[in-house]
Amino acid sequence: MNWQNAIITRIETQSLRVKSFFFRLPEPFLFRPGQHVLLRLTAPDGYRAQRSYSIASAPNAGEELELAIERFDDGEVSPFMHDIAQVDDEIEIGGPVGGHFNWTPEDGGPVLFIGGGSGVAPFMSMLRHRAAIVSRVPVVLVFSARLREDLLFFDELSKLAASGDGFSLMVALTREAGAHPFRAGRIDAEFIAGIVGAMRMRVRQVMICGSHPFVEAAAEGTITAGIDPAIIKTERYGATGLQAEVRDLPA
Amino acid sequence: MITRGFLRRSTDSGQLIRLPPGQHVVADFPVLSAGPTPRIKTGDWSFALKDGVRPVKSWSWAEFNALPQTKMTRDIHCVTTWSKFDTAWEGVLVDDILADAGIEPPTGFTLAHSYDGYTTNVPTADLVVGKAMVATRYEGKPIPPDHGGPARLLVPHLYFWKSAKWINGLQFTKKDELGFWELRGYHRYGDPWREQRYTND
Ligand SMILES: Cc1cc2nc3c(=O)[nH]c(=O)nc-3n(C[C@H](O)[C@H](O)[C@H](O)COP(=O)(O)OP(=O)(O)OC[C@H]3O[C@@H](n4cnc5c(N)ncnc54)[C@H](O)[C@@H]3O)c2cc1C
C-alpha cells in the first residue's frame, strides 16, 4: 500500500452527522470515480486504526481530495475525525483502492445509482466527473436519507439535476414527518420499477451504496422490480450483526 | 507518523495477542459483498470438484450433508480491519471432500467458485490437513444468505474474502490464477499476520 501524510485543508459540515474533509496530498494520485482510500490513525504507543472512505471528489479536481465522513457515536475513527481532527493536521492516507465499484461515463448508461446517507459519496465523484467532462449519459440517482437535514450534497445535486443534461435526482426520506416534496418512506420494488420504467432505455448498470441493511433492502427491491442481479454492483459501508440483520432485513 | 490527539481505545491484553496487526475486535458481524445477495434454495444447490476443466465429482445438498461433519471455532479477520473472535462453524473439511471423491490434490493451486460468479484463489496446501472447510452452519444454525448460505468456504487463517460466500465448487488449477478481488487490487495470498491486504503489501 502506498501511504502518504495528507494535510487537512478544510472541514465542512454537510448534514446532521456528516462532515466533508478536504485533504492536500503531497503526491496526488490518479483514481477512478467510486474508488476509496484508507485513513490510518496512529497512537503514541504504535496502536493503529484504519478505515475505508469513498472518494467524493472528482478525479482531476485539483490536488484536494474530499471525503464525506459520517459520525458514529460509538465508533473509533469517525468521532476522532469529527471531534479532534483540525485543519492543518496531518492524516495518513493510503490508496486509492477498489477495482469493482467504479463508474465513468465511458462505461455507458443509462445507469441507476442508489445511495443511502453517506453512501452517496462515491456517486458524487462519479457525477462530478460526469459533469466535468460534459457527458450526457443518462443517470438517475435515488438518494435515501432519514431526514431532510441528513441530505448531504443536496444543493449541489439539485443544481446538477436542474442543468437538464440527462441527470435526474429522486429523494426518499424515511423518517421525515410533515409535508415535503420528496417520497416519504423507504425505497421499495414499486418505487424502483417506476423509475426504471421511466428511463426509456434499458438500464445498463445499477450501483447501490450505503449501510449493509440499506444495500440489502435496495438490492432486493431492484431485483423484485425485474432488474437482472448480474448488472447490480454493491458497496457496503458496514456494520451489522447477525442478530441485527435478522431485525433489519425486510421479509 | 503519530496522529495528533489519537489514543488507543482500552482493549484488554488478552485480545491484543490474538489480534493480527492493524485489526480491531467487533462484536457484530459486518457484511461486505460486491453484488446483491443470491438466494439459493438447498434443493437447487450443488457442489462440484474439478481438476482443471475435468469434473471429478459433484454433490447435491443431501449428499453433501451426508459427508462427515466437522465443527471449527476460529477467529476471523476481514481486510477492512475488523476481527471477530470465536466464530463457530460446522461443515465438511476439504480433506473429507477429497476423500469422498477418492483423490489426492492433483495440483498446488485451487480456485473457489461461487454462485454469483465470484472466485478466489487459495494454495491447495492452505485448504487441506484440517485447515479449511465448506461450512453449512454458523453458530448452530444454517448460514444466513447474506453471510454466504447455504454454504461458504471457511479458510480462517487468511483474510476473510478468501472464505468465498455462496460457494459451489473447488477447481484445481495448474498455476496460481487470480480470483475476483485478487484481480482488483487485493493480495494474492492474504495472510493477516503479515498484513498482506493489497497487491504489493
Ligand atoms: C469500501 C468502503 C467505503 C466506505 N466509505 C465511507 C464513506 O465515504 N463515508 C463514511 O462515513 N463511511 C464510509 N465507510 C465506513 C467506514 O469505513 C467506517 O466503517 C465508519 O466510519 C465507522 O468507523 P468508526 O471507526 O467510526 O466506527 P467503528 O469503531 O468501526 O464502529 C463503531 C460502531 O459503528 C457502527 N457502524 C460502523 N459503520 C456503520 C455504518 N456504515 N452503518 C451503520 N453502523 C455502522 C458499528 O456497528 C459500531 O457499532 C466505508 C466503508 C467501506 C468498506
Side-chain angles (χ1 to χ4, degrees), chain A residues 178-233:
Chain A
H180 56 77
F182 309 116
R183 177 189 163 82
R186 293 166 65 137
I187 54 179
D188 57 14
E190 202 186 324
F191 184 55
I192 307 252
I195 292 165
V196 173
M199 281 172 89
R200 287 198 298 262
M201 282 188 287
R202 232 175 97 154
V203 182
R204 189 192 193 101
Q205 176 85 72
V206 180
M207 305 185 76
I208 309 176
C209 182
S211 70
H212 170 61
F214 174 80
V215 170
E216 280 295 285
E220 278 301 299
T222 308
I223 294 166
T224 309
I227 301 276
D228 176 3
I231 65 161
I232 305 175
K233 291 186 180 187

Side-chain angles (χ1 to χ4, degrees), chain A residues 112-124:
Chain A
L112 172 60
F113 296 155
I114 308 180
S118 53
V120 77
F123 302 132
M124 290 311 297

Side-chain angles (χ1 to χ4, degrees), chain B residues 59-126:
Chain B
W59 295 262
S60 68
W61 183 252
E63 289 161 348
F64 196 80
N65 281 277
L67 298 178
Q69 301 291 310
T70 301
K71 288 186 179 169
M72 232 189 219
T73 298
R74 293 286 185 280
D75 300 347
I76 56 175
H77 311 291
C78 176
V79 68
T80 63
T81 74
W82 59 265
S83 291
K84 187 170 174 63
F85 289 159
D86 299 318
T87 61
W89 305 86
E90 196 176 338
V92 182
L93 289 178
V94 174
D95 301 301
D96 289 323
I97 296 172
L98 295 176
D100 192 61
I103 62 162
E104 291 290 321
T107 70
F109 307 102
T110 305
L111 206 51
H113 292 268
S114 296
Y115 271 95
D116 59 339
Y118 182 87
T119 54
T120 188
N121 55 306
V122 184
T124 307
D126 289 89

Side-chain angles (χ1 to χ4, degrees), chain A residues 17-18 34 36-37 49-56 67-80 82 118-122 209-213 235-241, chain B residues 9 24-26 28 30 32 80-82 186:
Chain A
R17 296 188 298 160
V18 181
H36 60 272
V37 292
Q50 176 180 315
R51 299 290 186 276
S52 312
Y53 295 96
S54 304
I55 303 172
L67 306 179
I69 302 181
E70 176 170 353
R71 186 184 203 285
F72 290 96
D73 296 341
D74 58 344
E76 182 168 32
V77 172
S78 66
F80 172 86
H82 274 248
S118 53
V120 77
C209 182
S211 70
H212 170 61
E235 186 88 284
R236 298 162 200 254
Y237 278 3
T240 189
Chain B
R9 271 200 297 208
H24 66 284
V25 186
V26 296
D28 60 355
L32 298 148
T80 63
T81 74
W82 59 265
Y186 289 81

